[in-house]
């Protein structure tokens, strides 16, 4: 993937309002900790996550996506009717049909000729959406497009805690740790023809790799794969995801640098998918990247799935971490296993 005329024109995000600390979760799990002889404080110690955020009960995903989308349009200086493609890339969706993107498009007031659909690919959905929009811009099919996502961790975290309370056992606790890191939030990315965004961030291209033999390492959903009113479960082999995810990441990073002809000391800055402290430390070490070149949000936002990487980029830009001229690597990885890395000239 290489692009010659695509820019990220604007980013927008919305933080969920309810802050839930790891201590809060452990207080609710006190009977489990007592039964399994687990010392309080282990959740934060194991993950590096002090808190995450939840939406209010019954909050609609499309509402969060609309709020983030409106902010991104304002930041980009692009009107809603100019958006030629809208992709909703979240793991969490409102219905099996229609596409959640339909509700978002209606909320934003997009035009009747806009391409509107959902993309689902674990934590890579937003990055995949960016690629599809960039392809359409590069081909001249559209002048501007938007990818949005809104993730909610409240239901899956509460279901997981209830299962542990009903049947405390160490195997299930270990498999649930990754689930308990989940957070909530919304994000939107507007891309357009670079000629329309002189101050935009040029999307240079990227590389993708997969290791689908590991697709069972992390699963989320009812056994049937359909939402029929049944409660959802999530189970993660955290050790396996880290081991094989890093292997795939190293392979992809090497190909990414070759594809974009990066210098040995590039990219200048990186934004990674936000999993936790062990993942961040292992990934940066394996890639040979100094931690000072990375910006992280997992400590206070947790893992927000598809929202994590782009919302971290937006916050890094606000905080002045990403500077004009930086060659920035968006380093995404999702269960499956799939890896997608994009290069952006900030």
């Amino acid at each position: 993937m290489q692009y010659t005329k695509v820019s990220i024109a604007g980013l927008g995000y919305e933080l969920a309002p309810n802050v839930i600390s790891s201590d809060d979760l452990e207080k609710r799990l006190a009977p489990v900790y007592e039964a399994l002889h687990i010392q309080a404080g282990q959740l934060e110690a194991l993950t590096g996550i002090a808190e995450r955020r939840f939406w209010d009960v019954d909050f609609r995903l499309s509402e969060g996506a609309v709020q983030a989308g409106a902010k991104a349009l304002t930041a980009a200086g692009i009107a809603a009717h100019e958006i030629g493609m809208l992709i909703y890339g979240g793991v969490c969706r409102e219905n099996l049909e229609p596409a959640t993107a339909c509700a978002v498009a209606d909320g934003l007031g997009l035009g009747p000729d806009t391409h509107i659909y959902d993309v689902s690919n674990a934590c890579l959905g937003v990055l995949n959406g960016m690629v599809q929009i960039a392809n359409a811009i590069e081909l001249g099919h559209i002048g501007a497009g938007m990818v949005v996502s809104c993730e909610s961790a409240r239901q899956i975290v509460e279901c997981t805690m209830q299962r542990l309370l009903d049947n405390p056992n160490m195997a299930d606790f270990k498999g649930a740790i990754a689930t308990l890191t989940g957070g909530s939030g919304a994000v939107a990315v507007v891309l357009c023809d670079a000629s329309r965004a002189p101050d935009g961030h040029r999307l240079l291209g990227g590389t993708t790799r997969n290791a689908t033999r590991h697709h069972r390492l992390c699963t989320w959903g009812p056994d049937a794969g359909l939402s029929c009113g049944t409660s959802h479960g999530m189970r993660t082999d955290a050790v396996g995801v880290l081991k094989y995810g890093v292997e795939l990441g190293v392979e992809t990073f090497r190909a990414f640098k070759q594809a974009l002809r990066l210098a040995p000391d590039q990219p200048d800055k990186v934004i990674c998918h936000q999993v936790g402290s062990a993942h961040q430390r292992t990934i940066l070490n394996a890639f040979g990247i100094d931690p000072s070149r990375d910006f992280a949000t997992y400590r206070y936002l947790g893992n927000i799935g598809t929202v994590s990487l782009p919302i971290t980029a937006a916050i890094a830009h606000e905080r002045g971490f990403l500077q004009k001229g930086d060659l920035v690597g968006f380093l995404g990885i999702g269960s499956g296993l799939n890896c997608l890395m994009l290069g952006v000239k900030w």
Side-chain angles (χ1 to χ4, degrees):
M1 294 175 286
Q2 293 191 348
Y3 302 109
T4 62
K5 58 178 184 180
V6 180
S7 282
I8 298 173
L11 298 163
Y13 68 90
E14 195 72 22
L15 296 176
N18 303 294
V19 177
I20 310 296
S21 70
S22 291
D23 287 343
D24 292 335
L25 297 185
E26 289 192 328
K27 287 175 183 176
R28 293 179 60 183
L29 290 172
V32 178
Y33 275 47
E34 182 177 358
L36 301 179
H37 308 289
I38 299 172
Q39 185 177 357
Q42 289 303 296
L43 184 55
E44 182 175 347
L46 289 170
T47 66
I49 294 172
E51 58 190 39
R52 74 284 292 140
R53 289 167 172 260
F54 288 171
W55 298 111
D56 291 339
V57 176
D58 297 327
F59 180 81
R60 293 188 64 82
L61 300 171
S62 57
E63 183 179 340
V66 167
Q67 292 169 2
K71 291 179 178 179
L73 287 173
T74 299
I78 290 176
H81 68 83
E82 297 178 277
I83 295 296
M85 179 179 289
L86 175 76
I87 298 173
Y88 179 88
V91 173
C92 299
R93 298 189 295 279
E94 290 185 347
N95 310 286
L96 291 176
E97 64 171 287
T100 301
C102 296
V104 179
D106 180 55
L108 290 171
L110 302 189
D113 57 347
T114 306
H115 297 271
I116 298 168
Y117 56 97
D118 290 358
V119 165
S120 177
N121 189 21
C123 293
L124 291 181
V126 168
L127 295 187
N128 288 135
M130 289 174 62
V131 167
Q132 293 193 20
I133 291 169
N135 290 342
I137 293 171
E138 192 77 10
L139 290 169
H141 293 171
I142 62 173
M146 177 192 295
V147 57
V148 299
S149 177
C150 182
E151 303 285 23
S152 177
R154 177 187 286 275
Q155 182 189 35
I156 188 62
V157 169
E158 291 185 347
C159 286
T160 298
M161 290 196 296
Q162 190 58 54
R163 287 195 181 95
L164 289 171
L165 288 166
D166 291 341
N167 181 29
N169 66 86
M170 187 58 72
D172 284 350
F173 177 77
K174 289 180 179 179
I177 290 174
T179 307
L180 299 178
T181 68
S184 307
V187 76
V189 184
V190 173
L191 300 99
C192 70
D193 189 291
S195 63
R196 303 186 56 188
D199 296 324
H201 317 300
R202 290 294 295 272
L203 182 62
L204 304 177
T207 302
T208 185
R209 291 288 188 277
N210 74 76
T212 53
R213 63 189 177 277
H214 301 304
H215 69 276
R216 295 185 182 276
L217 289 177
C218 179
T219 59
W220 177 4
D223 292 338
L226 299 176
S227 178
C228 304
T230 58
S231 61
H232 284 216
M234 183 176 187
R235 190 168 187 86
T236 303
D237 177 350
V239 174
V241 168
L242 182 60
K243 176 183 177 181
Y244 297 114
V246 170
E247 287 182 5
L248 180 61
V250 169
E251 177 188 337
T252 310
F253 188 65
R254 186 181 300 117
F256 169 70
K257 294 194 66 164
Q258 291 175 348
L260 295 187
R261 298 181 177 86
L262 301 186
D265 60 346
Q266 288 181 314
D268 304 310
K269 307 283 177 61
V270 296
I271 305 294
C272 302
H273 175 51
Q274 305 293 297
V275 177
S277 55
H279 181 273
Q280 180 200 32
R281 183 170 57 251
T282 306
I283 283 285
L284 295 180
N285 182 63
F287 291 3
I289 296 175
D290 190 283
S292 65
R293 292 156 59 191
D294 176 57
F295 189 90
T297 60
Y298 62 81
R299 179 167 176 77
Y300 298 106
L301 297 182
N303 181 348
I304 322 179
T306 62
V307 171
S308 276
L309 193 155
I311 202 173
T312 301
I315 295 172
H317 176 67
E318 285 181 348
R319 302 283 177 86
F321 178 80
L322 299 181
Q323 295 288 319
K324 186 175 180 61
D326 281 343
L327 194 296
V328 182
F330 284 4
L331 311 183
I333 189 165
S335 53
L337 292 167
N338 286 298
C339 198
L340 173 58
M341 298 184 180
L342 299 176
V344 183
K345 189 71 170 180
W346 213 257

